[in-house]
Amino acid sequence: MWLFGRKGASGFSWSSTAEEVTHGIDATGLTAIVTGASSGIGAETTRVLALRGVHVVMGVRNMDAGKKVKDKIVQEIPSAKVEAMELDLSSMTSTVNVSFVSSNNAGIMATPFMLSKDNIELQFATNHLGHFLLTYLLLDTMKKTARESGREGRIVNVSSEAHRFTYSEGICFDKLNDQSSYQSWRAYGQSKLANILHANELTKHLKDDGADITANSLHPGAINTNLFRYNNVIDGICRTVGKFVLKNPPQGAATTCYLALHPQVKGVSGEYFSDSNLAKPTSQAKDATLAQKLWDFSMNLIKT
C-alpha cells in the first residue's frame, strides 16, 4: 500500500523496519537495557541493537522466555553481546534490584481491574511507574557514563496513540485505584499519556542538570503482538486480519531503534515520534503543569 510507504522528513515511513532505520550505524561501545524484551517489538529491538554492536541487557519477567530469545539472537549474530535479567516492572521491589536504560518498552494493555504487588492500579504500575523507577535508579550512572565517554545517553519511552483516549482529566491522581470508575481502555490511555509526560518532564530535569542525555517518547504503531491477550475478541480479529493492516515486529521496533541510535535525533529531547518521524501528541501530553504534577506524584509513590 503506497500510503504506508510514503516517507516523512526523516526519510523513513510506516513500513520502515528497525534494520532499515539503523542501517550503517556502528553502535559498538554502547550499552542498553530493553524492557519487555522476551517477545514482540522488545525482542526485535534487542536483536537489532545487538546487530549494530550494542551490549543489550534484556529486562524480562520470564527468564525462560528471555533465554530463548537471547539464544536465538546469539545463534543468528555470534558476536552479539546480550544478557537476560529478571525484571517485573509491576513490582517496585523487583525494579529496585536492577543496576543498569535505553528502551522502556514493556507493557500491558486494557487489563481487567487489578492491583500490583504494591497496591497500585496494574496498568499504571507496569506501563508507567515501573519505568519511572527504573529510569530514576539509572540516571546517576547514565550521567556519569555520558560525561566520561563523551557520548550522548538516550532514554526512549514507548507510548501509544492510545494516550488520546485517556480519562477526561488526563491522569486520575485521586482515583487511581478506584475500581468503580475504572475503564480498562481509558486506564491504558492514562498510562500511555504518563509515558509522554514522563519523558517531557525528565527532559526539563536533565537540561537543568546539564546532562548530555535525551528523553523522548513514541508511538510504535498498531502491531500484531500479544498485547491484546486480555481481549479475546480484539485478539481474534488481529490474528485474522492483522497481517494486512498492522505492523509486524520489525516495523514496530523501528521508531524505538531510530530514537536509540540514529544521528538525526542527536540533541533532540522532549519530543513525540511515530513512524520514525516527529509527530504531534495531544495538548494534555504537552501540559507542563500536568507533567510536573505526575513527576511529583510518581516520586512520592516510589519513595513510599
Side-chain angles (χ1 to χ4, degrees):
M1 291 187 239
W2 70 268
L3 183 61
F4 292 158
R6 187 176 182 180
K7 295 179 180 179
S10 68
F12 303 114
S13 69
W14 181 97
S15 60
S16 296
T17 67
E19 284 199 32
E20 289 169 348
V21 303
T22 59
H23 178 72
I25 295 175
D26 181 3
T28 303
L30 294 179
T31 298
I33 181 168
V34 178
T35 64
S38 61
S39 65
I41 63 173
E44 178 64 4
T45 297
T46 299
R47 186 188 73 82
V48 173
L49 292 183
L51 180 66
R52 302 306 178 213
V54 178
H55 171 204
V56 185
V57 180
M58 304 167 58
V60 298
R61 278 178 291 186
N62 185 327
M63 283 296 288
D64 289 338
K67 187 176 183 303
K68 288 179 181 178
V69 171
K70 171 192 169 183
D71 291 345
K72 184 177 180 181
I73 291 173
V74 173
Q75 184 176 18
E76 177 192 344
I77 312 165
S79 62
K81 297 178 181 178
V82 182
E83 55 186 292
M85 173 180 60
E86 189 171 7
L87 174 62
D88 180 0
L89 286 163
S90 70
S91 167
M92 287 195 278
T93 301
S94 171
T95 307
V96 166
N97 288 331
V98 173
S99 60
F100 283 101
V101 105
S102 175
S103 169
N104 291 327
N105 165 77
I108 54 176
M109 177 189 285
T111 64
F113 180 82
M114 290 183 276
L115 296 178
S116 70
K117 294 176 182 178
D118 304 293
N119 291 316
I120 299 168
E121 190 276 308
L122 190 62
Q123 294 194 80
F124 187 87
T126 304
N127 296 349
H128 164 64
L129 196 60
H131 290 118
F132 182 92
L133 175 57
L134 178 61
T135 304
Y136 173 76
L137 293 172
L138 297 178
L139 267 183
D140 285 344
T141 299
M142 289 191 71
K143 290 175 184 177
K144 183 174 183 289
T145 301
R147 186 169 58 248
E148 293 179 352
S149 68
R151 300 182 75 170
E152 178 183 80
R154 297 184 182 184
I155 296 168
V156 182
N157 282 357
V158 178
S159 179
S160 168
E161 281 291 276
H163 81 275
R164 301 181 186 279
F165 308 111
T166 183
Y167 298 104
S168 59
E169 56 265 60
I171 307 293
C172 297
F173 296 105
D174 298 327
K175 298 187 294 183
L176 188 65
N177 288 355
D178 183 5
Q179 186 172 0
S180 65
S181 61
Y182 180 80
Q183 299 178 53
S184 61
W185 283 102
R186 292 200 181 278
Y188 178 68
Q190 173 180 249
S191 69
K192 296 289 96 181
L193 173 62
N195 294 147
I196 302 175
L197 293 171
H198 173 215
N200 294 351
E201 183 65 17
L202 180 57
T203 290
K204 188 178 80 172
H205 286 258
L206 291 168
K207 286 183 178 179
D208 289 345
D209 292 343
D212 189 17
I213 301 172
T214 63
N216 292 291
S217 56
L218 67 98
H219 169 55
I223 305 158
N224 195 1
T225 70
N226 63 3
L227 266 182
F228 297 107
R229 61 188 178 276
Y230 290 102
N231 191 309
N232 292 333
V233 174
I234 295 179
D235 187 53
I237 293 172
C238 288
R239 292 184 185 281
T240 302
V241 303
K243 61 183 179 180
F244 301 108
V245 296
L246 300 180
K247 288 185 177 183
N248 55 39
Q251 293 167 330
T255 307
T256 302
C257 291
Y258 172 77
L259 289 176
L261 297 183
H262 208 285
Q264 284 182 353
V265 290
K266 180 176 174 57
V268 176
S269 195
E271 299 289 352
Y272 177 69
F273 289 77
S274 180
D275 299 335
S276 302
N277 282 276
L278 275 169
K280 187 175 181 180
T282 63
S283 58
Q284 282 182 325
K286 303 298 286 185
D287 187 331
T289 301
L290 185 60
Q292 176 67 61
K293 186 175 181 179
L294 175 65
W295 181 277
D296 294 340
F297 181 76
S298 302
M299 288 295 291
N300 285 334
L301 285 176
I302 67 173
K303 290 185 175 180
T304 300

